[in-house]
Amino acid sequence: MPKFLHTADWQMGRAFSRFETEDGAALVEARFEAIEKIARLANEHQCDAVLVAGDVFDAQTVADRTIRRVFNATGAFRGPWVMLPGNHDAALAESVWTRAQRLGAVPDNVHAALEPGVINLEPQGLAILCAPLTQRNTYSDLTEAFSTWETPERLIRVGLAHGSVQGVLSDDIDSANPISPNRAEAARLDYLALGDWHGTRQIDGRTWYSGTPEPERFRNNSAGYALIVDVPGPGALPQVTPLETGRYQWHQWRETLTVESDLDQLLERLGELPEPSVVDLRLEGAITLAGEERLTNALSVAEARFRSIQCDRSGLQLAPTDDDVAALKADGYVGEVIEHLRSHQQDDDAEAARDALAILAGLLKDRKQETSE
């Protein structure tokens, strides 16, 4: 019986401007690699089709080159692809989809579901009920029409939609496009393939979000997967298997350093992360000069090891111990400056005072080393 791959939210053309140029380019490239991996997985698992539940593109204005590269990346799987417009690439009268067609970029085996209706894949035993978005936001449930659409009894009924399952998902999902939580049952669907929630999530036995195949934000929601869906027969409960597709792991940590062991644990956790990591770190609390040196060295190592690491230390105060100050041999006027900077880390110019203290400590340490040589 039919087996297909469910994916969504590719967001091709997305820019990663918050990252360094090299890192941003690598993150963009990873999304193309994810499509290529999806095509390989569809072949390896002998899938009959690949269904993309919306947001193939991140915007209507993506470059022509991006459009061509997206469809080129699907080339390894020669079976049918059904691609649904989502809220980012809605099927407007003039859209990224109509431009792709004019470019001649859409392969013959790719079905762009630009209008509501059923795409019957007779040889594959599938009837795909499609609810494309024709504008960025709608306030009625476009999947309601599924209940009125008839399909051949011998074909598996699969719904393809993009939006928010009402009463199940959080309010911060990308779009307001509502979907009834009992749509699969009401429309007699064997499976409902959804997009818009960027993590893999099961709603019920027949309804799943696949999530984005390559993580693109700091949110712990099981992104980086595609779903292999095996339906034994009409009316039978589908067997759904998540397969990992993501290359990079995204981690966002908010840490407060109070005692030395807090820093020890933080550096240990950093050391355990795999190389293909994207890390966003914000530190608060206090750290000694010796701890600051350890942290700086560890971050330098991490910058060379990870895909990206960004660390905000503006909320982290330098708290030199008496031993720190004694080791710097900062007496007289220099010692007074250190005490002045220490006391001003609570003021409005706390970040400047912290940076100045760190620079001064570094200069004193360098001078001490030169003297001893």
Side-chain angles (χ1 to χ4, degrees):
M1 295 304 291
K3 181 191 295 185
F4 56 89
L5 187 149
H6 168 200
T7 180
D9 298 292
W10 293 357
Q11 311 289 149
M12 304 308 296
R14 185 183 184 96
F16 295 92
S17 56
R18 64 170 291 182
F19 296 95
E20 297 292 336
T21 301
E22 179 184 350
D23 296 329
L27 296 174
V28 168
E29 200 62 29
R31 306 195 75 75
F32 287 103
E33 293 171 359
I35 300 175
E36 294 170 349
K37 185 167 186 178
I38 285 169
R40 292 195 302 270
L41 289 173
N43 284 326
E44 292 171 9
H45 290 266
Q46 300 180 325
C47 292
D48 297 294
V50 175
L51 310 183
V52 190
D55 283 357
V56 171
F57 300 99
D58 190 55
Q60 303 286 3
T61 55
V62 300
D64 289 355
R65 181 172 183 267
T66 297
I67 294 173
R68 294 186 186 278
R69 288 195 65 194
V70 165
F71 292 110
N72 288 346
T74 68
F77 180 68
R78 301 307 305 166
W81 297 71
V82 180
M83 297 187 179
L84 187 84
N87 59 306
H88 282 258
D89 55 2
L92 310 176
E94 176 61 30
S95 71
V96 63
W97 296 99
T98 56
R99 185 150 49 97
Q101 292 172 334
R102 285 199 303 273
L103 290 171
V106 184
D108 292 340
N109 63 323
V110 173
H111 302 266
L114 304 187
E115 297 180 355
V118 181
I119 296 176
N120 286 324
L121 303 177
E122 293 272 359
Q124 290 76 27
L126 294 168
I128 313 301
L129 291 72
C130 303
L133 293 179
T134 56
Q135 57 190 41
R136 185 173 179 89
N137 289 310
T138 61
Y139 299 94
S140 61
D141 185 350
L142 300 181
T143 67
E144 189 173 357
F146 289 175
S147 299
T148 66
W149 296 347
E150 297 299 326
T151 57
E153 292 185 3
R154 64 185 179 279
L155 301 184
I156 300 296
R157 281 172 67 90
V158 179
L160 190 62
H162 190 87
S164 174
V165 175
Q166 299 299 285
V168 176
L169 299 181
S170 59
D171 294 335
D172 60 354
I173 193 167
D174 277 354
S175 80
N177 307 295
I179 296 174
S180 171
N182 68 338
R183 180 58 59 215
E185 179 183 2
R188 311 180 312 282
L189 300 176
D190 295 297
Y191 184 81
L192 178 54
L194 297 178
D196 201 18
W197 183 254
H198 283 208
T200 301
R201 182 161 182 175
Q202 181 180 7
I203 301 302
D204 58 37
R206 300 184 185 276
T207 306
W208 284 72
Y209 284 94
S210 66
T212 181
E214 178 64 35
E216 90 294 3
R217 61 180 67 171
F218 295 106
R219 183 177 294 174
N220 185 20
N221 63 349
S222 300
Y225 292 87
L227 304 178
I228 298 294
V229 183
D230 193 342
V231 186
L237 199 65
Q239 300 170 2
V240 181
T241 305
L243 297 178
E244 190 169 357
T245 54
R247 178 177 181 182
Y248 294 112
Q249 297 180 13
W250 291 52
H251 305 273
Q252 187 174 60
W253 296 349
R254 301 293 180 255
E255 304 290 335
T256 299
L257 304 182
T258 304
V259 295
E260 187 175 354
S261 60
D262 293 336
L263 178 61
D264 294 338
Q265 293 172 12
L266 171 64
L267 299 187
E268 182 178 356
R269 289 174 63 199
L270 275 178
E272 292 173 349
L273 289 179
E275 291 186 9
S277 290
V278 178
V279 183
D280 178 62
L281 183 61
R282 184 192 300 163
L283 300 179
E284 297 179 347
I287 191 170
T288 66
L289 290 179
E292 169 77 4
E293 183 177 2
R294 289 179 60 205
L295 176 62
T296 299
N297 289 338
L299 291 175
S300 178
V301 171
E303 286 175 353
R305 180 167 168 259
F306 298 151
R307 176 68 274 165
S308 171
I309 182 168
Q310 298 177 332
C311 182
D312 178 1
R313 288 189 271 182
S314 60
L316 186 64
Q317 294 184 21
L318 272 180
T321 64
D322 292 339
D323 290 340
D324 287 332
V325 176
L328 294 175
K329 296 183 178 180
D331 49 11
Y333 174 73
V334 176
E336 293 177 4
V337 171
I338 289 178
E339 289 302 320
H340 178 76
L341 292 174
R342 290 171 71 178
S343 64
H344 275 69
Q345 288 187 87
Q346 301 290 345
D347 299 341
D348 293 338
D349 57 350
E351 187 173 356
R354 179 197 177 284
D355 291 344
L357 183 55
I359 292 170
L360 178 58
L363 291 173
L364 290 173
K365 182 179 179 183
D366 290 343
R367 187 184 69 177
K368 179 181 176 182
Q369 290 175 342
E370 290 173 359
T371 303
S372 62
E373 290 177 354

